[in-house]
Amino acid sequence: MSPSAQAAEGLYCSVDFSGRNCLYATMEACRAALGVGQGDCVLNPAALPAPTGAARFCLAERWKLACDYATLAGCQRAAAPRHAQCVDNPNYR
């Protein structure tokens, strides 16, 4: 498998002493695989869909990157019940 194909496998990557593994569909699965204090879980930019919307913050889910939130707090309120994550809109100007 090529590095680019491997990078695009999961929405979340574990990052620890052994490197970066992008194998996880959810943040919870990534954290469970790492264990407490063993590294970090981050969004895999290669797996994110194209953003929609023009606001500053985006709600990132496996099937969409909805950039509809003017504030980080508003995005986080929407993300919490969905177990999603908020990120900066890569196209924000």
Side-chain angles (χ1 to χ4, degrees), residues 26-74:
T26 67
M27 178 69 84
E28 291 80 14
C30 181
R31 288 180 178 151
L34 276 176
V36 177
Q38 301 299 312
D40 198 13
C41 292
V42 297
L43 277 168
N44 178 3
L48 289 173
T52 61
R56 175 94 162 65
F57 297 99
C58 308
L59 183 84
E61 296 179 282
R62 179 125 188 100
W63 55 89
K64 69 179 176 179
L65 187 59
C67 303
D68 301 322
Y69 302 91
T71 66
L72 181 57

Side-chain angles (χ1 to χ4, degrees), residues 1-2 4-5 9 15 18 20 27 29 40 42 47-48 53 55 62 68 70-71 74-77 79 85 89:
M1 183 181 309
S2 73
S4 62
E9 281 186 1
V15 181
S18 65
R20 183 182 188 102
M27 178 69 84
D40 198 13
V42 297
L48 289 173
R62 179 125 188 100
D68 301 322
T71 66
C75 183
Q76 289 172 331
R77 278 192 300 277
Q85 190 170 358
N89 181 348

